[in-house]
Amino acid sequence: MKPINQVKMEFDSKSANEAFARSAAACFAAQMDPTLEELGDIKTAVSEAVTNVIVHAYPHSIGRVQVKLRLFPDNTLEVSVKDWGTGIADLEKAREPLYTTGGAERSGMGFTIMESFMDSMKVRTAVGKGTTVTMRKKVSLRAGGR
Amino acid sequence: MPLTCQSQKRILTARLSGEIDHHAARQLMQDLDLAIESRTPKALVLDLGGVTFMDSSGIAVLLRSWRRMQETGGTMEVVSVPPQPGKVLRAANLHKIIPISFLEPVG
């Protein structure tokens, strides 16, 4: 399926950009006429993915974060968040609820929230090369249409 | 991430507003730590009524304050949680550890 609309953005892995990324994703998703809850789910998932990059992919440096948003004809939004950072050594462990290598400041719930707030989540990672998280969510078509 | 605190009879009410993400969490944790240390409340009430967005960073913030209160033998509850932060807290099952009252979604 070909996307009917798409954006690609790239920014520094600075924590101030977390709000930028989720707000931009919400603005793009708005054309799908999502409910407030669906919009909140998308913002939360994007915030988690971008925060993971900032905290884990580039722990001691500022690197590049790429966010791609694609909209498909069946009203599915695809979000992919890519970095060229450390990669995840033990992906299975990283996806477990409450597991974190981020210390007391992190809850270890990022992947769990991404998975439960979106319809699907796929992670591709290679140590020393980077990680790409791809999530999809189908936004309900509301009665009355558009 | 503005925080306003008010205490009466050793009950400290802290009102959080704005967006709680990783960027805001560190300062918020420090502010809450300071409020708890300086006022030594027996009960802490965290009012999330003004929170417009929260991700899992907020879970760490709440757990940290809860631990602080446990250490001093105090209690903590979270009140007026709007729908979006509520969904994040429910996903983490935090309401099974900390007493939380949720606001119902509007409409």
Side-chain angles (χ1 to χ4, degrees):
Chain A
M1 220 180 342
K2 274 183 126 179
I4 52 174
N5 196 6
Q6 54 189 323
V7 292
K8 184 163 85 174
M9 51 194 181
E10 208 172 281
F11 48 88
D12 286 352
S13 63
K14 293 186 174 175
S15 61
N17 288 332
E18 292 156 8
F20 161 74
R22 64 175 176 265
S23 304
C27 285
F28 182 77
Q31 65 194 291
M32 305 162 74
D33 192 26
T35 62
L36 212 52
E37 183 177 2
E38 287 164 338
L39 207 55
D41 291 350
I42 292 162
K43 280 177 82 171
T44 312
V46 170
S47 200
E48 299 295 349
V50 170
T51 302
N52 271 351
V53 173
I54 291 166
V55 175
H56 300 287
Y58 304 113
H60 308 298
S61 59
I62 298 297
R64 279 186 300 147
V65 191
Q66 187 187 80
V67 175
K68 272 200 265 188
L69 305 163
R70 300 201 294 169
L71 177 58
F72 292 96
D74 67 345
N75 227 29
T76 295
L77 174 74
E78 185 186 87
V79 180
S80 82
V81 178
K82 183 177 183 171
D83 67 70
W84 293 265
T86 56
I88 304 168
D90 192 339
L91 184 58
E92 214 173 305
K93 257 210 127 52
R95 289 177 74 150
E96 279 175 18
L98 303 174
Y99 177 83
T100 184
T101 55
E105 286 189 4
R106 309 299 314 151
S107 68
M109 290 302 292
F111 274 132
T112 306
I113 285 172
M114 285 184 250
E115 267 186 305
S116 64
F117 284 29
M118 301 293 275
D119 297 339
S120 70
M121 181 186 77
K122 198 173 70 186
V123 184
R124 287 184 57 204
T125 187
V127 172
K129 289 190 174 161
T131 303
T132 304
V133 174
T134 306
M135 301 176 280
R136 281 174 170 246
K137 187 178 185 71
K138 189 168 181 170
V139 167
S140 55
L141 285 166
R142 288 202 254 179
R146 244 154 295 185
Chain B
M1 182 72 236
L3 171 73
T4 55
C5 292
Q6 188 188 345
S7 54
Q8 200 175 15
K9 292 181 179 169
R10 293 191 61 214
I11 298 171
L12 172 62
T13 303
R15 287 193 176 78
L16 282 56
S17 57
E19 303 200 322
I20 306 177
D21 62 4
H22 158 253
H23 182 66
R26 184 169 294 181
Q27 184 65 49
L28 181 59
M29 279 181 184
Q30 283 176 11
D31 292 348
L32 282 168
D33 281 358
L34 188 67
I36 293 169
E37 275 161 32
S38 61
R39 297 170 200 236
T40 59
K42 64 177 172 32
L44 171 64
V45 179
L46 286 183
D47 184 333
L48 267 55
V51 174
T52 51
F53 173 83
M54 194 189 85
D55 65 17
S56 70
S57 311
I59 298 168
V61 172
L62 298 193
L63 279 174
R64 183 190 175 101
S65 294
W66 178 74
R67 280 193 207 105
R68 290 272 146 127
M69 292 305 295
Q70 291 267 300
E71 283 162 14
T72 56
T75 61
M76 175 178 136
E77 64 172 319
V78 183
V79 301
S80 304
V81 181
Q84 188 275 334
K87 198 168 174 181
V88 171
L89 297 181
R90 280 195 177 104
N93 270 326
L94 211 68
H95 54 294
K96 300 201 171 146
I97 305 171
I98 303 170
I100 300 177
S101 54
F102 298 94
L103 294 175
E104 289 305 311
V106 182

